[in-house]
Amino acid sequence: MRNRDLRPAAKANPTIQQAFERFQKYNRLKNLSQGSLDFYAAKGRSFFRFLGDTEQPIHTITEETVEDYIFYMKDQQLHDTTINTNLRMVRAFLYWCMEKGYLEKYPIRLVRADDPIKEPYTTDELQKLLKEPDCKTCSFAEYRNWVIVNFLLGTGCRASTLLNLQIGDLDLSAGTVFFRHMKARNQQIVPLSKALVRIMEEYLEHRSGDPTACKTVHHRSCWRGLQELAWDRGA
């Protein structure tokens, strides 16, 4: 009887696009959050724009390719922190390709970046952010931004956690909020101060929200409000 050849067959080298699709499939199997998947997709698009042709074999990406990408980003006058953010995706993707045998192994190092000192809010800025607006004369956007600042300050949650908050997650009678969407994919119940409970009760009343309904807490323009706060510290 003819003996079977049990040696593994040589792996066909996929294209860059095929390799990235397999990488994202692997990430979904790892149960990464949608935010992480979106991060890889967005940073992948930036890398692929630099490469130009994603139908070429994945093994055409060499250590020199990565170095050229760094110089390309520097020519675009990107900050070193932004360059490293893009490189983290490239490194995760290419290291996975190396583990799969698609690429020869080579190191991918981040650039040396200065760690800037974050300027804290001044007393005057904090007073502007925390001063309660007059609901009879201010716009809804101004009032909404004030509620956002108080909620972020009172709970310490991330912007993405706030944006995924449901009215049903608030238990104002018990003074707690249930965070179901967090970066580490865990869930958490956080106590609310009496002052924040009062603010949230008034906010739900002003936005015509039903506290018993399972709708989003934020107004549909809430994300724009978070961006406004990031762009204009004096708002």
Side-chain angles (χ1 to χ4, degrees):
M1 183 176 67
R2 184 177 178 180
N3 293 330
R4 294 181 58 192
D5 187 353
L6 299 179
R7 290 176 298 178
K11 292 183 178 179
N13 200 267
T15 65
I16 296 171
Q17 183 63 42
Q18 289 171 338
F20 188 76
E21 290 172 358
R22 296 177 190 179
F23 171 66
Q24 285 289 67
K25 181 179 179 180
Y26 166 77
N27 289 332
R28 289 193 293 272
L29 289 174
K30 285 176 57 181
N31 203 27
L32 293 188
S33 68
Q34 188 59 47
S36 295
L37 294 173
D38 292 342
F39 167 80
Y40 285 130
K43 300 307 175 183
R45 287 192 293 271
S46 299
F47 184 47
F48 299 152
R49 280 196 299 269
F50 161 75
L51 295 176
D53 181 13
T54 59
E55 294 304 316
Q56 58 186 323
I58 185 65
H59 69 257
T60 57
I61 298 179
T62 64
E63 186 174 1
E64 184 178 2
T65 306
V66 178
E67 293 173 351
D68 289 341
Y69 184 47
I70 295 174
F71 284 118
Y72 166 79
M73 289 188 287
K74 285 184 174 293
D75 290 340
Q76 299 295 313
Q77 298 184 338
L78 298 182
H79 192 277
D80 289 340
T81 303
T82 303
I83 292 175
N84 282 337
T85 300
N86 294 336
L87 280 178
R88 286 188 177 92
M89 186 292 302
V90 173
R91 185 169 62 177
F93 170 46
L94 297 185
Y95 277 3
W96 177 83
C97 290
M98 293 174 192
E99 291 179 1
K100 300 296 290 184
Y102 300 153
L103 287 175
E104 296 292 334
K105 293 186 178 182
Y106 52 81
I108 300 175
R109 298 182 179 88
L110 303 180
V111 301
R112 181 174 296 180
D114 295 330
D115 189 10
I117 297 176
K118 296 182 179 180
E119 182 182 355
Y121 286 101
T122 65
T123 302
D124 183 58
E125 288 173 332
L126 287 174
Q127 289 176 346
K128 287 182 179 180
L129 285 170
L130 297 177
K131 182 180 179 181
E132 183 173 0
D134 185 350
C135 294
K136 295 180 180 179
T137 59
C138 72
S139 66
F140 177 81
E142 182 181 350
Y143 172 65
R144 174 209 59 203
N145 289 355
W146 177 76
V147 173
I148 290 173
V149 169
N150 279 271
F151 192 88
L152 294 176
L153 181 64
T155 64
C157 73
R158 293 173 176 270
S160 59
T161 300
L162 171 59
L163 290 171
N164 284 275
L165 191 65
Q166 302 287 318
I167 291 178
D169 297 333
L170 288 168
D171 188 344
L172 299 180
S173 60
T176 60
V177 58
F178 174 55
F179 289 145
R180 65 178 70 248
H181 180 90
M182 302 183 71
K183 184 177 180 180
R185 299 182 67 89
N186 57 326
Q187 298 179 340
Q188 187 177 8
I189 296 178
V190 174
L192 303 176
S193 67
K194 291 182 180 179
L196 188 53
V197 167
R198 177 187 63 82
I199 290 173
M200 296 308 298
E201 287 175 339
E202 293 177 354
Y203 172 68
L204 293 178
E205 180 180 352
H206 282 293
R207 73 178 292 279
S208 301
D210 180 359
T212 63
C214 186
K215 299 178 181 178
T216 56
V217 168
H218 61 82
H219 188 267
R220 60 184 177 181
S221 59
C222 183
W223 176 244
R224 186 174 60 201
L226 291 173
Q227 290 177 320
E228 291 169 357
L229 289 173
W231 291 335
D232 186 1
R233 289 179 53 177

